[in-house]
């Protein structure tokens, strides 16, 4: 990214932040879905986190909690908060304004350490759970292409959230962060969980362009510029792909035209790494391409951004959970393949230090999102 472009981005952030801080938190916005007026929570000491503790934090058990649609101020604050947090994670801006901007988005900011890596966690306040999402950002300078991992249907596409978390934490670090939903995709405004026909499911972060999760994604995209967003999804085993019935996953760029070299490279690398047949959309199959995904559509309008949509069968997700080292192999497959031209990192790269060697430990068993009936997305 050129100095002029970077200056424009930081100017955008400063302008958006000043709007949020200058009056978005007045008494006119007291309801959920709008800008809150409670006291801003300060960022506490860094917390040492385990896989178990992260899982419990990212995917809370909400009970019957209705989806609350954000207003325009909340969406603006969410984008500004993730923009500011990403600039800090990259070492380009201070952390100081982030908590208050995040507060205007109904979020709190925590600092986590996992192994040798440090993270910012932007999480919903306890009174605001479910309607925004949970956002982790790895702190550190770029050391390769910038990628953001997402598990947007963790309560429906079972196992995708846990797999995405393990990929994020795999060494060497390959992703800037992980974004995940915190409410089932079919929760309605009245709190009931039921699938509506068409796209009328407002809590579905991939099919509601006015969801705060989409605003959060765009905050990161506009802070980094050249970035690839990789989403993990799942489909049920009884959903047979007529063109490739043996396939256990579908890789797509989220568009009906040719998937291109990136889709071809990722499909081949995953097939080698996992030892199962992988299909490409639209070259091999005519479905599960994520073409109606609103985040993918947004990214196609960004000149330096890219989108990768990966559908995993139920059988493959179960196998990956049982197989030691599967997440690391999955991450390596994504890391080893070339990203599209024009998405090379736009920052001066600094090599990451070698990971500290320590005693090997067995993975921790821990609960993830609520199990439930799985449907084809």
């Amino acid at each position: 990214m050129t100095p002029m472009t970077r200056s424009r981005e930081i100017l955008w952030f400063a302008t958006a932040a000043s709007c949020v801080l200058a009056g978005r938190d007045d008494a006119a916005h007291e309801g959920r879905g709008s800008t809150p007026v409670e006291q801003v929570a300060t960022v506490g000491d860094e917390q040492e986190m385990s896989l178990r503790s992260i899982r419990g934090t990212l995917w809370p058990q909400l009970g019957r909690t209705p989806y609350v649609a954000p207003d325009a101020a909340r969406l603006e604050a969410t984008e500004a908060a993730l923009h500011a947090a990403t600039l800090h994670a990259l070492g380009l801006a201070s952390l100081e304004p982030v908590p208050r901007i995040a507060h205007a988005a109904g979020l709190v900011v925590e600092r986590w350490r996992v192994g040798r890596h440090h993270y910012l966690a932007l999480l919903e306040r306890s009174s605001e759970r479910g309607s925004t999402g949970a956002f982790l950002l790895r702190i550190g300078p770029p050391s390769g292409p910038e990628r953001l991992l997402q598990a947007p249907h963790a309560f429906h596409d079972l196992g995708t959230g846990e797999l995405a978390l393990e990929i994020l934490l795999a060494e060497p670090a390959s992703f800037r962060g992980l974004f995940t939903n915190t409410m089932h995709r079919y929760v309605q405004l009245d709190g009931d969980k039921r699938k509506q026909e068409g796209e009328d499911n407002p809590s579905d972060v991939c099919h509601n362009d006015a969801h705060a999760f989409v605003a959060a994604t765009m905050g990161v995209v506009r802070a980094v510029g050249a970035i690839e967003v990789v989403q993990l999804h799942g489909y049920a085993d009884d959903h047979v792909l007529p063109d490739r019935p043996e396939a256990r996953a579908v890789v797509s760029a989220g568009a009906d035209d040719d998937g291109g070299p990136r889709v071809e490279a990722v499909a081949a690398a995953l097939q080698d790494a996992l030892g199962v047949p992988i299909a490409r959309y639209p070259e091999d199959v005519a479905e599960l391409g994520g073409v109606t995904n609103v985040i993918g559509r947004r990214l196609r309008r960004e000149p330096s951004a890219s989108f990768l949509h990966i559908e995993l069968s139920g059988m493959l997700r179960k196998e990956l959970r049982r197989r030691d080292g599967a997440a690391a192999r999955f991450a390596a497959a994504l890391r080893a393949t070339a990203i599209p031209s024009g998405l090379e990192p736009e920052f001066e790269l600094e090599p990451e230090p070698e990971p500290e060697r320590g005693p090997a430990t067995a993975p921790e068993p821990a609960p993830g999102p609520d199990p439930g009936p799985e449907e084809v997305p």
Side-chain angles (χ1 to χ4, degrees), residues 136-332:
L136 301 185
L137 294 169
R138 179 174 53 84
I139 298 172
S143 58
E146 288 291 312
R147 301 185 181 99
L148 177 66
L149 187 61
Q150 295 189 337
H153 294 151
F155 295 88
H156 180 274
D157 302 349
L158 300 180
T160 55
E162 292 94 330
L163 176 61
L165 177 58
E166 291 177 12
I167 291 173
L168 175 72
L169 302 180
E171 292 286 2
S174 305
F175 287 88
R176 175 56 57 188
L178 168 62
F179 284 15
T180 185
N181 64 319
T182 51
M183 174 178 281
H184 194 283
R185 65 187 292 191
Y186 294 141
V187 171
Q188 303 298 322
L189 296 171
D190 60 5
D192 284 348
K193 186 172 72 175
R194 61 183 183 277
K195 183 178 180 180
Q196 302 279 72
E197 292 303 318
E199 304 299 331
D200 191 20
N201 295 287
S203 61
D204 186 343
V205 307
C206 294
H207 295 94
N208 176 7
D209 197 52
H211 199 292
F213 191 98
V214 180
T217 301
M218 299 314 298
V220 176
V221 170
R222 287 167 183 159
V224 177
I227 191 169
E228 180 181 65
V229 176
V230 180
Q231 287 188 355
L232 300 186
H233 294 265
Y235 62 96
D237 286 326
D238 60 4
H239 183 80
V240 178
L241 300 169
D243 299 317
R244 288 285 304 276
E246 78 283 4
R248 294 292 175 262
V250 179
V251 181
S252 168
D256 282 325
D257 51 2
D258 190 315
R262 174 63 171 157
V263 167
E264 182 174 355
V266 169
L270 286 174
Q271 187 161 295
D272 289 344
L274 305 180
V276 296
I278 307 291
R280 301 162 301 163
Y281 177 93
E283 292 85 349
D284 301 323
V285 296
E287 55 190 307
L288 301 181
V291 295
T292 62
N293 189 300
V294 296
I295 293 175
R297 288 177 171 178
R298 284 278 197 107
L299 294 174
R300 285 196 290 278
R301 299 199 293 267
E302 297 292 322
S304 298
S306 176
F307 181 62
L308 195 65
H309 183 278
I310 303 177
E311 288 274 2
L312 305 170
S313 70
M315 181 184 300
L316 180 56
R317 279 173 278 143
K318 294 183 183 76
E319 181 64 22
L320 292 175
R321 288 201 293 270
R322 289 194 296 263
R323 217 189 279 182
D324 289 341
R329 288 195 292 275
F330 203 115

Side-chain angles (χ1 to χ4, degrees), residues 324 358-364:
D324 289 341
T361 57
E364 299 179 67

Side-chain angles (χ1 to χ4, degrees), residues 46-61 110-115 119 121 123 129 134 136 162 165 169 363-368:
E46 186 176 67
Q47 305 174 52
E48 189 76 32
M49 300 292 285
S50 67
L51 194 59
R52 177 190 292 273
S53 60
I54 295 174
R55 284 170 170 167
T57 301
L58 296 184
W59 299 295
Q61 307 303 317
E110 296 183 359
R111 294 184 300 143
W112 293 356
R113 180 185 174 98
V114 186
Y119 297 85
L123 308 169
R129 291 287 177 90
L136 301 185
E162 292 94 330
L165 177 58
L169 302 180
E364 299 179 67

Side-chain angles (χ1 to χ4, degrees), residues 6 73 95 110 115 125 143 145 159 231 240 243 267 297 305 326 337 343 352 356 367:
R6 171 56 57 196
L95 179 62
E110 296 183 359
R125 287 201 307 276
S143 58
Q231 287 188 355
V240 178
D243 299 317
R297 288 177 171 178
T337 55
L343 286 183
E352 296 233 4
E356 299 173 0

